[in-house]
Amino acid sequence: MSTLIEYKCPCCNGELTFNSDIQKMKCPFCDTEFDVDTLKSYDDILKEEFVDDMKWDEEQPEIWDVPEGMVGYICESCRGEIITDKTTVASRCPFCDNPVVMAEKLSGLLKPDYVIPFKMDKEAAEKAFYNHLKGKKLLPKMFKSETKIKEIKGVYVPFWLFDCDTDAHITYRATRVRRWSSGSYNYTETSYYQLVRGGLLGFERVPVDGSTKMPDDLMDSIEPYNYNEMVDFQTAYLSGYLADKYDVDSNASEERANTRVKQSTEEAFRATVTGYATCIPNSSTVKLSHGKIKYALLPVWMLNTEYKGEKFMFAMNGQTGKFVGNLPMDKGAFARWFLGVFAGVTAIAGGIALLLGGVL
């Protein structure tokens, strides 16, 4: 079995968890609060406490084998067995519900540089889900009235943060159109231009999630994060939440980072082109320099529900509260809406025709 870290309250020996409301560690039993910084030395002590090998576990018959790709742990509170996959670094015991941190997965190259602590709690995530359903006219009524959140969990998601400078050179094909009338004739003049834009841009903390478990579109959609609130990583922040280590390394994430940097660079320079009828990129060259990569854990609330056998996943930014997720559509309501719009357009067109007929 591997080692776990459980933060015990020095006052009553209860399980400490990170409280997002007060941004401190808090004991749910005696309500004692601790600053995260005060637990730095406590963190080192916890790691030193779990170096003994008592041998007796090896002498006991195994009840079952840990499935391939999974890792087994023994809860220090109730001695229950915790089975997780190899990327999980924080979880809860399924027997006593105490929060646990898998210490050895955070060492060496796997240790994050930074963390943004949770500011939004579970109740806020649940409330955001039901607010997300309001005002959706094409949402099935049964989904609104009967759907229940099947699972809700706070997860620290691994992200790679890319810093770089860019030197860009972009050309565009653009046009300007002039129209006028003279006598019985209408004239149109189209002028063609080749535009050149170039310069330097700096990027800080371009995020790319490093977990294959998390859909990229959901993780992109809950941005942005306020990185001014990012702090140096400490394992205490993970207590009471789930957390994963990356299973997509920084090298494999560079392609997505490059795509985001290139698109943002092109959009920034495109915004400087004004006064043209059309503007089409012709060529684009972006060179990177001074690249730096940091590893951080960012807070995300993940929610899951089902409707007619189909699973729906939602995500909320655990710092800002931004909520995203796809919803089912009532095809009957959509058909009625479409026919209503079509009928309205037809009625307007008919009225214009009658008006024109009367004028003629």
Side-chain angles (χ1 to χ4, degrees):
M1 290 296 169
S2 303
T3 57
L4 298 176
I5 287 181
E6 296 183 49
Y7 288 91
K8 298 283 189 178
C9 176
C11 301
C12 70
N13 206 38
E15 298 297 330
L16 295 177
T17 60
F18 181 75
N19 187 294
S20 60
D21 292 330
I22 60 175
Q23 295 291 293
K24 294 182 179 181
M25 302 292 287
K26 184 175 182 178
C27 176
F29 301 100
C30 66
D31 289 332
T32 307
E33 300 174 0
F34 301 89
D35 290 327
V36 172
D37 288 339
T38 64
L39 296 178
K40 287 183 178 179
S41 58
Y42 186 39
D43 197 5
D44 294 335
I45 295 173
L46 284 172
K47 293 177 182 178
E48 294 174 1
E49 287 180 349
F50 298 102
V51 296
D52 291 340
D53 185 358
M54 304 303 291
K55 302 295 183 184
W56 62 269
D57 273 339
E58 297 179 359
E59 299 174 1
Q60 301 298 318
E62 293 290 335
I63 299 176
W64 72 81
D65 293 329
V66 175
E68 184 178 356
M70 308 295 282
V71 183
Y73 301 85
I74 291 296
C75 176
E76 297 297 328
S77 296
C78 71
R79 306 304 297 172
E81 186 167 16
I82 305 170
I83 304 296
T84 72
D85 61 32
K86 292 184 177 180
T87 62
T88 299
V89 296
S91 185
R92 286 184 177 273
C93 174
F95 303 99
C96 66
D97 200 40
N98 281 336
V100 294
V101 179
M102 291 68 174
E104 81 285 351
K105 294 184 180 179
L106 298 170
S107 61
L109 294 177
L110 299 179
K111 183 178 180 180
D113 299 298
Y114 304 108
V115 61
I116 294 181
F118 273 89
K119 293 186 69 174
M120 312 297 292
D121 59 17
K122 184 176 181 180
E123 288 73 20
E126 185 174 1
K127 182 179 180 180
F129 170 76
Y130 289 109
N131 286 336
H132 187 61
L133 305 183
K134 296 179 180 179
K136 306 296 192 300
K137 296 182 178 180
L138 300 183
L139 187 66
K141 293 182 178 179
M142 297 294 288
F143 187 91
K144 290 183 180 180
S145 61
E146 296 185 2
T147 188
K148 302 296 182 184
I149 299 175
K150 186 176 182 181
E151 182 182 35
I152 178 171
K153 55 187 179 182
V155 184
Y156 279 107
V157 178
F159 274 80
W160 299 107
L161 303 180
F162 292 81
D163 295 353
C164 69
D165 295 325
T166 63
D167 184 355
H169 185 273
I170 304 173
T171 63
Y172 303 91
R173 297 193 306 273
T175 63
R176 280 178 176 160
V177 178
R178 187 169 70 96
R179 295 181 175 89
W180 71 95
S181 299
S182 178
S184 301
Y185 295 94
N186 296 324
Y187 297 91
T188 299
E189 177 187 78
T190 302
S191 302
Y192 295 87
Y193 301 85
Q194 179 166 316
L195 308 179
V196 179
R197 292 291 186 270
L200 304 175
L201 284 178
F203 290 87
E204 291 185 351
R205 298 161 181 165
V206 177
V208 177
D209 71 276
S211 173
T212 57
K213 297 178 184 177
M214 298 297 173
D216 292 338
D217 57 346
L218 278 183
M219 296 302 99
D220 292 347
S221 297
I222 61 174
E223 295 176 16
Y225 284 90
N226 180 6
Y227 294 105
N228 292 329
E229 297 180 349
M230 190 163 59
V231 297
D232 292 336
F233 175 78
Q234 293 184 50
T235 55
Y237 287 111
L238 306 187
S239 185
Y241 298 94
L242 301 177
D244 284 340
K245 69 176 184 180
Y246 62 86
D247 57 2
V248 180
D249 62 25
S250 59
N251 291 332
S253 300
E254 286 181 359
E255 183 177 355
R256 284 194 66 212
N258 290 344
T259 298
R260 302 195 73 176
V261 168
K262 186 176 178 68
Q263 288 178 346
S264 297
T265 300
E266 292 173 343
E267 290 171 0
F269 282 106
R270 175 63 180 85
T272 68
V273 179
T274 59
Y276 295 89
T278 64
C279 182
I280 302 173
N282 188 38
S283 66
S284 175
T285 302
V286 178
K287 296 182 180 180
L288 302 183
S289 61
H290 306 108
K292 296 180 181 179
I293 306 174
K294 295 296 184 179
Y295 175 32
L297 296 181
L298 306 185
V300 180
W301 283 103
M302 298 298 300
L303 300 87
N304 293 279
T305 187
E306 287 188 8
Y307 178 69
K308 292 186 176 180
E310 184 178 358
K311 295 182 179 180
F312 293 88
M313 181 181 292
F314 306 87
M316 188 182 84
N317 187 313
Q319 179 196 41
T320 67
K322 184 178 181 180
F323 194 96
V324 299
N326 294 327
L327 293 168
M329 181 178 66
D330 186 334
K331 295 181 180 179
F334 175 77
R336 291 189 295 272
W337 171 82
F338 179 80
L339 291 174
V341 171
F342 180 76
V345 172
T346 302
I348 293 173
I352 293 174
L354 288 172
L355 179 61
L356 291 174
V359 171
L360 294 175

